[in-house]
């Protein structure tokens, strides 16, 4: 008897086939994912890396059907190593807390699959059920909380949309002596061009950050940032909007075409997490061991 692939175990991506007139699943995938060559899809099919909703490998000539749910495995040939190392701060039956270094993505995206915090932790802990409960972007360092148990995942996931978790960040940026701190910055953030870059527009605010000054060092200050909401790049955009883009930020206030410089990381750190455990009711507090230098 052949044991089917378990998409959750293998960390597969999932797609529901869109409406169209393709004769086969292969034709649909090639047209839908234009950046992936037909030869690469054929190779994935041949190696059993495209599965149906039940986790069974399918053939490339399977007839297309609208809404068909498929699992596939993202692969990046010759993936470039990222020369940084994560630290595991806490492990129990339900949660894993890791200190993510700068430049390491949390989950597979773009040119990164194996060189991500998620894949590294799955290998280190031999737990294919790990799922990040929130995200910090690749350039940001610090704490990331993972669910280790699908049975209790929902209870921890609800902490974030219900705003029952206190997240504190630190950033180093230019001094802002003309502003009075602490202050609250609210704005409406939307995706811009290129798609990954956020910007502020007129309209009802959908993002909010509390900023305070923790330390002064000449022309640079260390800021404490507490995001009330969790929009993409929120802290980076808000600091730039205040007139002090975070040091070494390649995206804000202006987009720079630069390669990763491991000696010049973004000066932004997810420094602490505090919440009441939804299972035990006890207060949980985690603090990063990383630090931002001047």
């Amino acid at each position: 008897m052949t044991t089917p692939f378990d998409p959750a175990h293998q960390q597969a991506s999932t797609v529901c086939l869109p409406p169209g007139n393709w004769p086969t699943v292969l034709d649909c995938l090639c047209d839908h994912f234009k950046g992936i060559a037909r030869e690469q899809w054929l190779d994935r099919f041949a190696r059993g890396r495209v599965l149906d909703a039940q986790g069974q490998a399918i053939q490339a000539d399977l007839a297309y059907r609208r809404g068909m749910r498929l699992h596939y495995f993202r692969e990046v040939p010759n993936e470039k190593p990222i020369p940084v190392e994560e630290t595991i701060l806490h492990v129990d039956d339900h949660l894993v807390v890791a200190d993510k270094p700068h430049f390491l993505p949390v989950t597979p995206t773009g040119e990164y699959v194996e060189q991500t915090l998620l894949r590294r932790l799955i290998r280190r802990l031999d737990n294919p059920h790990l799922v990040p409960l929130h995200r910090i972007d690749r350039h940001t360092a610090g704490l990331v909380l993972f669910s280790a148990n699908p049975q209790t995942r929902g209870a921890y996931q609800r902490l974030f949309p219900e705003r029952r978790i206190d997240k504190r960040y630190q950033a180093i940026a230019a001094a802002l002596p003309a502003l009075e701190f602490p202050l609250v910055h609210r704005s409406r953030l939307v995706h811009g061009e290129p798609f990954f870059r956020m910007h502020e527009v007129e309209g009802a605010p959908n993002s909010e950050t509390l900023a305070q000054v923790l330390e002064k060092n000449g022309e640079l200050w260390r800021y404490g940032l507490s995001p009330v909401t969790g929009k993409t790049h929120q802290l980076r955009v808000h600091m730039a909007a205040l007139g002090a883009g975070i040091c070494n930020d390649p995206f804000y206030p202006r987009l720079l075409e630069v390669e990763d410089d491991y000696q010049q990381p973004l000066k932004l750190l997810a420094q602490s997490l505090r919440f009441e455990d939804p299972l035990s009711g006890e207060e949980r507090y985690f603090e990063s061991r990383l630090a931002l230098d001047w």
Side-chain angles (χ1 to χ4, degrees):
M1 178 178 176
T2 301
T3 302
F5 280 106
D6 178 355
H9 185 93
Q10 298 291 327
Q11 292 297 315
S13 297
T14 301
V15 62
C16 289
L17 299 188
N21 297 309
W22 301 280
T24 68
V25 167
L26 171 64
D27 294 309
C28 174
L29 291 173
C30 290
D31 203 29
H32 187 61
F33 297 101
K34 298 184 184 298
I36 302 176
R38 189 179 185 88
E39 292 73 20
Q40 188 173 346
W41 278 117
L42 285 169
D43 179 62
R44 288 180 181 178
F45 277 102
R47 292 184 291 113
R49 305 294 282 177
V50 183
L51 318 176
D52 63 17
Q54 288 71 47
Q56 298 284 354
I58 63 174
Q59 300 299 311
D61 60 358
L62 181 68
Y64 158 82
R65 187 176 74 251
R66 176 180 176 176
M68 183 184 295
R69 187 178 180 88
L70 300 178
H71 305 292
Y72 65 97
F73 298 88
R74 295 188 67 251
E75 299 167 333
V76 176
N78 304 314
E79 187 173 352
K80 183 172 66 174
I82 300 178
V84 295
E85 188 169 346
E86 71 285 351
T87 302
I88 298 174
L89 302 180
H90 173 85
V91 179
D92 63 34
D93 290 341
H94 307 286
L95 293 176
V96 172
V97 184
D99 238 349
K100 186 188 82 66
H102 294 100
F103 301 105
L104 185 67
V106 173
T107 57
T109 181
E111 60 187 299
Y112 304 105
V113 175
E114 297 303 324
Q115 291 295 308
T116 60
L117 180 61
L118 175 61
R119 289 292 182 90
R120 290 185 180 189
L121 292 180
I122 286 173
R123 291 193 295 269
R124 287 181 61 176
L125 298 174
D126 192 26
N127 183 354
H129 301 296
L130 288 178
V131 170
L133 293 168
H134 63 120
R135 310 290 171 92
I136 60 176
D137 61 69
R138 187 173 76 86
H139 294 95
T140 303
L143 300 181
V144 184
L145 189 63
F146 289 81
S147 164
N149 185 339
Q151 314 242 316
T152 59
R153 182 166 299 148
Y156 290 99
Q157 286 176 325
R158 287 192 290 273
L159 292 171
F160 292 87
E162 294 175 2
R163 299 182 182 176
R164 293 188 287 124
I165 187 162
D166 180 45
K167 297 174 286 183
R168 302 289 177 94
Y169 288 71
Q170 288 188 7
I172 294 177
L176 291 169
L179 299 182
E180 185 175 339
F181 290 88
L183 62 77
V184 174
H185 184 80
R186 299 182 182 91
S187 69
R188 183 164 192 82
L189 295 181
V190 298
H191 287 277
E193 291 294 336
F195 71 92
F196 57 80
R197 195 166 183 264
M198 305 293 287
H199 68 282
E200 295 185 329
V201 297
E202 296 293 328
N206 61 3
S207 62
E208 179 178 337
T209 301
L210 170 65
Q212 58 186 316
V213 178
L214 302 179
E215 187 180 1
K216 299 180 179 181
N217 185 11
E219 295 182 354
L220 295 177
W221 288 0
R222 186 186 303 272
Y223 296 87
L225 304 175
S226 300
V228 177
T229 52
K231 294 296 182 181
T232 302
H233 295 175
Q234 175 178 317
L235 301 180
R236 299 165 69 173
V237 178
H238 282 185
M239 287 300 296
L242 291 174
I246 298 173
C247 290
N248 302 329
D249 194 332
F251 297 165
Y252 309 98
R254 65 186 183 279
L255 182 63
L256 303 175
E257 298 293 335
V258 296
E259 294 288 329
D260 287 344
D261 183 349
Y262 296 104
Q263 304 306 312
Q264 299 289 329
L266 175 72
K267 298 296 184 176
L268 180 61
L269 173 68
Q271 197 265 336
S272 69
L273 292 168
R274 187 189 302 272
F275 58 94
E276 181 181 289
D277 191 286
L279 302 183
S280 67
E282 67 177 310
E283 182 179 82
R284 308 293 292 270
Y285 177 75
F286 301 103
E287 187 169 333
S288 174
R289 296 177 187 170
L290 301 172
L292 301 175
D293 59 45
W294 294 99

